[in-house]
Amino acid sequence: MSISRRTFLGGGLAAAAVAMTGCSSGPKNTAAANRAVALPTYTKYAGVTPDLPGDGVVLDAFLKYPAKPIRAITEVPGDGQPITFLTNIPGAIPPAADRNQFWQALNDRLGSELQISMASNDEYKDKFATRIAGGDLPDILNIPVDTAQIPGLVKAKCLDLTEHLSGDAIKKYPFLASIPTDFWKGCVFNGAIYGVPVPRGMSRTSLALYREDLLAAKGIKNPAPKSFQEFFDLATELTAAKQNKWAWTRVPLSTIRQMLGVPNVWKQEGGKFSSSYEHEANQEALEAARKMVAAGVINPDAFNDKASARKQWFNGGTAAFDYDSFVAWNQYYADNIAGDSFAVNALDVPGFDGGEGSPWMGGALNNVTAFSKDSKHSADTLLKIANWMAAPFGTEEYLFRKYGVAGRHYTLQGTDPVPSKTGVIETGIGLQYISDSPLALYWAGKPDVPRKQHAAQQKVAKRPVRDASYGLYSDTQSKKQAQLAKTMTDLESQIVQGKKPVADWARGVADWKSAGGDKIRTELEQALADTAGK
């Protein structure tokens, strides 16, 4: 059966995947079969000691790069033949390999030419769909976690890696083994391990980030609102619309929901699942968000412009607050146009009426990296490439992978690599989406950045709320979640702008339930029941 791009993009990969799965042998994608898989044994790399250690939730922090980075891998991972890779990249398309000295040096280190087909974040899903529909798979494939019916796709098209990665077998690839076990749950389908995780979790946890320098200029140091009202008052103080300055880049509805204890996507209690949409506090959260919009503390273009515009407002000082992650925190420094005074920090999440709020843990994975069944390379070679890409902070491999070649791509400030403009452009080829180590908190030449990040994580570390559906598969969620979420997000936007009444939320939730939400719940509850005691 051929799969058209139109079918894929319309959510019709469901039918296509069923057809592909029918041509394959092996276990079905049942919760019991997946839970029975022995996940890789976690062995944290002990070769580098952090300045501020993490604890499994809080990430390790480094105040400077080690003076003598360890060369952790002596064997060339490639097999001498070209290896193809399909990925998104977050920045501009970099120079091609024949004009990119970083890419050329990478190929020498890998012992194989890495041929990368890349697209921007906004365009990647279309490109991914086209390649899948055409049966034109690269050796290494970056699969977005929200791809419809991943189990059928990987079963038909990708290598089963279980024998190479399950349990202690992963010790052959020590830097893949240093990815904590929980991240591997998102790579198990059809009773087998079909991919390598690109971990996020705490690094993707989002908080109210603020321009510490802008607040300090107004005499505000160490802001710590203890309720929504204080949060609102702070936003009011930082807004000067006549000067084109607003407190927020967008409506901080997620933060308000966390103040009110709304679940992170799905909550599970006693085997029963409930969605964040259904929580009773949503109407109060929407009322509070409407209050902020009506007060004019949100940039008025927030409902029209993309995330890239919001980042420009934050960096340019048009807005003092943005809701974003620890990964974005670093990116703000990379994009800084305000000079040496530029400083970012984060607010803790207070309870709506006092006490503590319930911050949401970030999504576990950025993507799943899988290998094509049709690849002419052995699974061992492709896993060695992934292992090389996962060498952690403090190693020489990490230094090269993230910063390039000294003198061209960065200069040393003490022991810290400070990227050049050429370095930023040439290194942006998407290697982090083959595999990556868990994020280390660090910014070259600015030890205050990891200190602040570490302190912010310590504040929320004992109470992060996780999505209870992680590691469980719902076929309906796989097929319908994107459209269902868009419908609810559009309704939120209309309500907070005052274009629809808050009372419409209840009707929206009822429609969400009948359009697939209830079926997703039933499937998640069954998946959980199927794994009970396993």
Side-chain angles (χ1 to χ4, degrees):
M1 172 183 176
S2 63
I3 308 162
S4 72
R5 177 175 174 274
R6 183 183 299 274
T7 298
F8 187 103
L9 291 176
L13 184 60
V18 170
M20 291 191 296
T21 303
C23 300
S24 305
S25 60
K28 293 182 179 180
N29 190 60
T30 66
N34 291 340
R35 186 58 65 93
V37 174
L39 295 173
T41 301
Y42 172 54
T43 308
K44 184 174 181 178
Y45 179 64
V48 180
T49 302
D51 297 305
L52 302 172
D55 59 8
V57 177
V58 175
L59 299 170
D60 290 339
F62 294 83
L63 305 183
K64 59 184 178 181
Y65 209 89
K68 296 180 179 179
I70 298 169
R71 186 70 177 264
I73 301 173
T74 56
E75 178 186 0
V76 174
D79 58 10
Q81 299 302 310
I83 295 173
T84 55
F85 173 45
L86 175 66
T87 190
N88 63 299
I89 57 168
I93 300 294
D98 61 350
R99 295 179 289 108
N100 188 323
Q101 292 187 30
F102 170 73
W103 201 334
Q104 294 165 15
L106 171 72
N107 289 339
D108 289 341
R109 284 177 172 244
L110 295 181
S112 282
E113 178 187 353
L114 187 61
Q115 298 176 350
I116 307 174
S117 178
M118 59 187 79
S120 69
N121 286 347
D122 292 337
E123 297 172 346
Y124 182 63
K125 288 187 179 180
D126 277 4
K127 185 164 188 171
F128 177 84
T130 301
R131 293 286 294 269
I132 297 294
D136 180 21
L137 266 66
D139 298 307
I140 303 175
L141 179 64
N142 167 347
I143 303 178
V145 293
D146 59 353
T147 297
Q149 288 207 315
I150 292 179
L153 170 63
V154 297
K155 188 173 185 178
K157 299 293 186 180
C158 302
L159 289 173
D160 178 344
L161 302 172
T162 310
E163 67 174 296
H164 303 279
L165 299 174
S166 183
D168 287 347
I170 199 173
K171 291 183 178 181
K172 183 175 182 180
Y173 312 102
F175 299 126
L176 296 182
S178 68
I179 298 174
T181 300
D182 194 59
F183 292 114
W184 292 91
K185 291 179 182 177
C187 300
V188 176
F189 309 98
N190 314 306
I193 302 172
Y194 272 96
V196 170
V198 175
R200 289 297 182 263
M202 191 53 145
S203 64
R204 190 61 66 79
T205 295
S206 292
L207 296 170
L209 302 185
Y210 65 90
R211 283 285 301 273
E212 193 174 43
D213 54 320
L214 298 183
L215 270 67
K218 283 184 166 289
I220 303 171
K221 295 185 178 181
N222 302 317
K226 294 178 171 57
S227 65
F228 170 75
Q229 187 59 51
E230 291 188 13
F231 182 80
F232 176 83
D233 292 343
L234 179 62
T236 302
E237 186 175 356
L238 290 163
T239 298
K242 290 182 179 180
Q243 300 172 30
N244 292 323
K245 293 185 184 298
W246 292 270
W248 276 90
T249 62
R250 53 175 158 175
V251 183
L253 183 56
S254 292
T255 300
I256 297 170
R257 282 175 163 151
Q258 292 169 43
M259 292 180 184
L260 287 160
V262 174
N264 182 1
V265 188
W266 285 98
K267 178 181 179 180
Q268 184 272 131
E269 197 168 24
K272 300 297 182 182
F273 279 77
S274 58
S275 165
S276 61
Y277 298 134
E278 300 170 285
H279 195 274
E280 60 187 8
N282 271 297
Q283 295 204 24
E284 188 173 4
L286 290 165
E287 288 282 12
R290 281 163 70 100
K291 179 179 177 180
M292 295 191 75
V293 174
V297 301
I298 315 295
N299 188 307
D301 292 324
F303 299 100
N304 303 314
D305 286 334
K306 295 181 178 180
S308 57
R310 295 197 300 268
K311 293 180 185 300
Q312 290 170 8
W313 301 336
F314 188 80
N315 269 305
T318 304
F321 284 89
D322 192 22
Y323 176 76
D324 219 324
S325 69
F326 289 89
V327 173
W329 188 330
N330 277 9
Q331 189 62 44
Y332 285 133
Y333 277 91
D335 297 338
N336 168 34
I337 59 173
D340 291 340
S341 65
F342 182 85
V344 177
N345 213 325
L347 298 181
D348 194 359
V349 183
F352 192 86
D353 294 315
E356 294 183 331
S358 303
W360 295 339
M361 175 66 83
L365 304 183
N366 183 81
N367 63 281
V368 174
T369 297
F371 307 140
S372 172
K373 275 185 179 178
D374 296 329
S375 175
K376 295 179 181 178
H377 302 277
S378 68
D380 181 56
T381 293
L382 299 176
L383 285 168
K384 285 179 179 176
I385 295 291
N387 182 68
W388 190 90
M389 298 293 174
F393 185 94
T395 63
E396 195 276 339
E397 290 81 3
Y398 182 101
L399 178 64
F400 170 78
R401 190 172 80 247
K402 300 291 186 180
Y403 296 95
V405 177
R408 178 175 177 81
H409 300 114
Y410 69 87
T411 55
L412 284 177
Q413 180 178 317
T415 62
D416 288 318
V418 177
S420 65
K421 290 184 178 179
T422 299
V424 171
I425 293 169
E426 291 193 354
T427 60
I429 60 177
L431 300 183
Q432 69 270 32
Y433 303 135
I434 293 179
S435 185
D436 208 357
S437 56
L439 180 75
L441 303 175
Y442 168 78
W443 191 254
K446 289 187 177 294
D448 278 354
V449 173
R451 279 197 187 100
K452 291 171 186 174
Q453 292 176 332
H454 197 263
Q457 290 192 358
Q458 285 182 316
K459 288 179 183 177
V460 302
K462 293 182 180 179
R463 48 195 170 94
V465 179
R466 293 171 168 80
D467 175 5
S469 71
Y470 174 62
L472 300 173
Y473 181 75
S474 159
D475 192 56
T476 302
Q477 181 168 269
S478 172
K479 291 183 287 186
K480 293 188 174 184
Q481 176 61 19
Q483 184 55 50
L484 289 172
K486 182 180 184 304
T487 299
M488 297 304 285
T489 300
D490 289 346
L491 176 58
E492 290 170 358
S493 179
Q494 295 289 304
I495 291 174
V496 300
Q497 291 180 77
K499 296 178 179 179
K500 289 187 177 181
V502 173
D504 278 10
W505 183 253
R507 169 50 56 190
V509 172
D511 291 344
W512 169 84
K513 291 171 67 176
S514 61
D518 278 341
K519 193 171 183 183
I520 294 172
R521 180 201 330 281
T522 298
E523 291 171 357
L524 291 174
E525 288 174 354
Q526 185 61 54
L528 183 67
D530 288 345
T531 64
K534 294 183 173 65

